[in-house]
Amino acid sequence: MAQETRRKVTIVGSGLIGRCWATLFARAEYNVVLNDISDQQLQGALDAIHHQLGNMEREGLLREGQTAANLEKRVTISSDLQGAVSGALYVQECTPEVLDLKRLVFKKLDQVVDDVTILASSTSCIVPSLFTEDLKHRAQCIVAHPINPPHYIPLVEIIPAPWTNEATMKFTVDLMKELGQKPISAKKEVNGFILNRLQYALIMEAWRLVEDGIASPEDVDTAVVEGLGMRYSFMGPFETIHLNANGVEDYCHRYGANITTVCESEAPPRPLSGPTLETLSASLCSKIPLEKLEERRKWRDARLGALAAHKRDMEERVDKTKQ
């Protein structure tokens, strides 16, 4: 997609998400500069990228003819922001979720990029208008929010500011597709974007079920893992209801009134604190002690890698049947 003379991208921030973005861009055979203020952090990021690419090669998630050893050579590091972004086609900011920090970083980026470079943020909850309004290049600014870990979960939320131009929006969507990701576009800014608004609704109702003594934390998790999650891993809520009746209109005629009644009983939201938090913490820590969290994250990533490979294989089979 991008011109061969300008296949350079810059990742600002070398934490967990920045490393994953570097891995994805390297797999798409971009030249990646990973920028951070800490040389030690950058060296640690290179080690992490080495392991990520190695895992993806073993899981069959690289592209035909690619090797982890060759792809990791595409990633370099720099603590010099201006040098890191010079000539970049695209910049992905991955700093902590602090509004003042986002404003500072984007102000610095605005001063050193040209009129072509796209400036994207990985923020999961801060709308772009809050940190781009006063920038010279604000029309080139956008949010591209990945889901953790993005090298296994392909969704990316594309959120424009009111002044983001159409070219920036289209370019970013096309770029995400080139990476092998699955972009979705919000038509306007909204608190929580799309995925978190869905996720938070589920978390809040799960909280109520425990707080009201209706179900245990373990059974609530099981309801999602062995129920909703089985379907939702390959089709969304709207397609689900379309298939669960004679189309979506039939479903809403049959069940719509009761759905409204149930949802009315769910309001208002509850504070995520107090005795219910203590109950959840005790339940989860008995299953996964805090000192075992990293081990469990590795288990999670292995499962996600296997699921990603399975979904890719199933999609390839479907595509072959259509030919």
Side-chain angles (χ1 to χ4, degrees):
M1 183 194 73
Q3 297 176 358
E4 289 299 324
T5 57
R6 192 162 179 166
R7 287 188 67 85
K8 173 184 175 180
V9 299
T10 303
I11 313 297
V12 178
S14 62
L16 174 63
I17 297 300
R19 300 168 184 187
C20 292
W21 274 122
T23 298
L24 289 172
F25 277 105
R27 184 179 64 175
E29 300 187 353
Y30 279 85
N31 299 315
V32 183
V33 180
L34 192 57
N35 169 262
D36 210 308
I37 59 174
S38 167
D39 290 332
Q40 183 177 0
Q41 174 89 350
L42 287 168
Q43 288 296 332
L46 287 180
D47 292 339
I49 292 166
H50 169 80
H51 289 297
Q52 284 178 1
L53 286 169
N55 288 339
M56 293 173 73
E57 182 173 17
R58 287 186 290 274
E59 292 157 349
L61 294 175
L62 299 184
R63 299 175 182 180
E64 186 175 355
Q66 291 182 335
T67 66
N70 285 335
L71 292 181
E72 66 181 279
K73 293 176 184 177
R74 290 185 169 274
V75 183
T76 58
I77 56 177
S78 173
S79 57
D80 171 32
L81 181 64
Q82 183 169 356
V85 303
S86 177
L89 181 75
Y90 179 90
V91 175
Q92 185 78 40
E93 171 270 325
C94 306
T95 60
E97 292 287 88
V98 179
L99 178 56
D100 286 344
L101 179 59
K102 301 284 187 192
R103 286 172 173 160
L104 177 62
V105 170
F106 269 78
K107 182 178 180 180
K108 289 182 177 180
L109 288 170
D110 189 48
Q111 294 169 348
V112 295
V113 299
D114 57 24
D115 295 335
V116 175
T117 305
I118 304 299
L119 300 177
S121 175
S122 297
T123 179
S124 63
C125 61
I126 305 174
V127 294
S129 62
L130 292 180
F131 55 87
T132 65
E133 183 174 8
D134 298 327
L135 303 184
K136 173 185 176 183
H137 298 98
R138 68 180 193 170
Q140 299 159 223
C141 296
I142 200 165
V143 165
H145 169 229
I147 313 306
N148 185 35
H151 55 297
Y152 291 135
I153 302 179
L155 183 73
V156 180
E157 296 181 291
I158 308 300
I159 316 293
W163 38 79
T164 303
N165 63 37
E166 285 295 326
T168 295
M169 189 82 174
K170 183 180 185 305
F171 179 90
T172 306
V173 168
D174 289 345
L175 179 61
M176 293 301 111
K177 290 178 180 179
E178 186 185 0
L179 297 188
Q181 302 303 91
K182 303 290 187 180
I184 59 173
S185 302
K187 296 181 179 180
K188 59 183 178 180
E189 292 184 335
V190 63
N191 187 16
F193 305 161
I194 300 169
L195 182 134
N196 275 333
R197 290 181 74 89
L198 294 169
Q199 179 173 236
Y200 293 167
L202 178 59
I203 290 171
M204 184 55 67
E205 181 52 27
W207 188 279
R208 291 188 192 97
L209 290 170
V210 173
E211 189 160 82
D212 293 348
I214 296 169
S216 67
E218 297 83 2
D219 282 351
V220 170
D221 272 353
T222 299
V224 176
V225 173
E226 304 296 344
L228 289 176
M230 296 290 285
R231 293 186 299 209
Y232 284 0
S233 66
F234 58 89
M235 62 181 179
F238 291 143
E239 185 175 351
T240 296
I241 67 174
H242 191 59
L243 299 183
N244 279 356
N246 190 29
V248 64
E249 291 189 17
D250 181 49
Y251 184 95
C252 291
H253 288 320
R254 291 190 194 186
Y255 309 114
N258 191 49
I259 291 172
T260 300
T261 299
V262 169
C263 291
E264 287 172 346
S265 72
E266 293 174 344
R270 313 279 177 87
L272 302 188
S273 59
T276 305
L277 177 57
E278 294 173 6
T279 299
L280 289 174
S281 181
S283 172
L284 288 165
C285 288
S286 67
K287 178 182 179 181
I288 312 165
L290 296 182
E291 62 272 17
K292 298 287 188 180
L293 284 177
E294 188 57 35
E295 179 181 321
R296 190 66 170 179
R297 291 186 186 111
K298 291 179 181 178
W299 170 88
R300 174 202 66 188
D301 289 355
R303 290 291 188 95
L304 287 171
L307 179 59
H310 170 70
K311 292 185 72 172
R312 180 208 59 199
D313 291 345
M314 292 301 294
E315 289 173 0
E316 289 178 353
R317 290 183 190 179
V318 171
D319 289 342
K320 287 180 181 179
T321 63
K322 294 178 179 179
Q323 293 176 357

